[in-house]
């Protein structure tokens, strides 16, 4: 039953011409599709929680949930394990140039195998995206505005700065060009945001004539 059977008493077994295995149980019939391209993982005890994001990187499968970041090897059949120091709400997993970033209620983590290093403490990283024409910059949407990560000469990513003069929660955003982007806020509407030349502040905010809507988002 742990793996999905209706009960554990199997009274008869039959394989059909398609490779399906039929089980006659003490109460009912189950069918096992051995050729299915999908694998089902059942979290019977609720230890993982609600899944918000998933990603594969190297040999690991990662799940970002409201309980933290979990991992297991892609072809492993065992349980998921918690990545140390990531307990709490995970919002997004983004692979950028081969590196896996985790947007978390606590900030931003860079994931390497079974370890995660926190590189930003700006609360609530909704999403992380590359900045067009800026190889060394990533932009983050946070609970209170937008912030930047910068890649140092040694290749490591660190927190750079928060964009001043802007405090709106930015869960959904897309670039129009390197210095202008759209932000969709489900309660306030859609805004065009312009960033100044030195990446220190939001120079202008213009609300577009688009009706707001609960659970609305924006994507390219």
């Amino acid at each position: 039953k742990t793996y999905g059977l209706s009960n554990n008493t199997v009274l008869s077994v039959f394989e059909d011409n398609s490779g399906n295995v039929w089980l006659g149980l003490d109460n009912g019939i189950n069918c096992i599709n051995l050729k299915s391209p999908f694998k089902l993982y059942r979290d019977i005890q609720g230890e993982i929680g609600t899944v918000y994001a998933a990603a594969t990187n190297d040999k690991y499968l990662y799940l970002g949930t409201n309980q933290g970041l979990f991992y297991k090897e892609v072809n492993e059949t065992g349980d998921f394990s918690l990545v140390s120091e990531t307990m709490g709400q995970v919002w997004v997993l983004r692979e950028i140039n081969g590196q896996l970033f985790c947007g978390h209620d606590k900030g931003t983590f860079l994931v390497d195998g079974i370890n995660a290093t926190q590189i930003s403490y700006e609360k609530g990283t909704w999403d992380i995206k590359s900045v067009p024409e800026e190889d060394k910059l990533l932009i983050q949407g946070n609970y209170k505005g937008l912030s930047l990560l910068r890649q140092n000469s040694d290749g490591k990513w660190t927190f750079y700065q928060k964009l001043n003069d802007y405090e709106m929660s930015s869960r959904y955003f897309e670039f129009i060009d390197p210095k202008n982007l759209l932000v969709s806020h489900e309660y306030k509407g859609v805004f065009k945001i312009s960033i100044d030349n030195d990446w220190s502040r939001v120079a202008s905010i213009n609300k577009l004539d688009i009706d707001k809507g609960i659970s609305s988002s924006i994507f390219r």
Side-chain angles (χ1 to χ4, degrees):
K1 292 184 66 174
T2 302
Y3 294 96
L5 293 182
S6 298
N7 67 52
N8 290 332
T9 304
V10 181
L11 302 176
S12 60
V13 179
F14 174 77
E15 181 180 3
D16 64 23
N17 293 333
S18 299
N20 298 306
V21 175
W22 295 82
L23 304 177
L25 306 175
D26 184 51
N27 183 15
I29 299 173
N30 283 179
C31 180
I32 302 174
N33 182 359
L34 296 177
K35 296 182 179 180
S36 172
F38 303 103
K39 292 183 179 180
L40 188 65
Y41 181 85
R42 295 180 180 271
D43 182 19
I44 303 298
Q45 302 300 322
E47 296 177 356
I48 289 178
T50 302
V51 178
Y52 282 76
T56 56
N57 187 266
D58 193 15
K59 63 179 181 179
Y60 293 106
L61 168 65
Y62 298 94
L63 298 181
T65 81
N66 61 346
Q67 301 294 324
L69 179 63
F70 294 83
Y71 74 93
K72 75 179 186 71
E73 291 191 18
V74 173
N75 295 317
E76 179 187 338
T77 58
D79 291 333
F80 282 87
S81 299
L82 178 69
V83 176
S84 180
E85 308 299 327
T86 67
M87 184 177 293
Q89 175 70 60
V90 174
W91 293 118
V92 70
L93 293 171
R94 289 285 183 213
E95 183 176 342
I96 302 174
N97 296 330
Q99 294 181 290
L100 186 63
F101 295 82
C102 172
H104 196 285
D105 175 68
K106 298 177 182 177
T108 304
F109 292 83
L110 187 59
V111 183
D112 183 13
I114 64 173
N115 300 304
T117 302
Q118 190 163 0
I119 57 175
S120 171
Y121 291 85
E122 196 71 23
K123 293 292 185 182
T125 301
W126 291 118
D127 206 349
I128 308 158
K129 295 185 178 181
S130 299
V131 177
E133 301 179 17
E134 296 285 347
D135 294 338
K136 304 297 183 181
L137 287 180
L138 299 176
I139 194 166
Q140 306 182 126
N142 300 108
Y143 290 164
K144 292 186 177 182
L146 296 164
S147 60
L148 297 168
L149 300 175
R150 181 171 62 180
Q151 190 175 36
N152 300 327
S153 57
D154 60 2
K156 294 182 179 180
W157 289 95
T158 58
F159 180 78
Y160 180 33
Q161 59 191 15
K162 184 180 185 298
L163 297 181
N164 293 318
D165 302 328
Y166 179 73
E167 296 288 333
M168 187 172 69
S169 178
S170 300
R171 185 170 189 175
Y172 304 108
F173 59 93
E174 290 288 350
F175 277 96
I176 303 171
D177 56 51
K179 288 298 178 70
N180 295 280
L181 61 156
L182 299 178
V183 178
S184 177
H185 191 292
E186 63 178 335
Y187 295 104
K188 298 179 180 180
V190 180
F191 298 81
K192 181 181 178 182
I193 308 296
S194 296
I195 303 171
D196 70 347
N197 290 330
D198 62 0
W199 296 96
S200 64
R201 57 184 289 271
V202 169
S204 66
I205 306 173
N206 295 297
K207 188 177 185 299
L208 303 186
D209 187 20
I210 298 174
D211 290 338
K212 61 187 177 182
I214 302 301
S215 298
S216 63
S217 62
I218 188 170
F219 60 92
R220 184 178 297 278

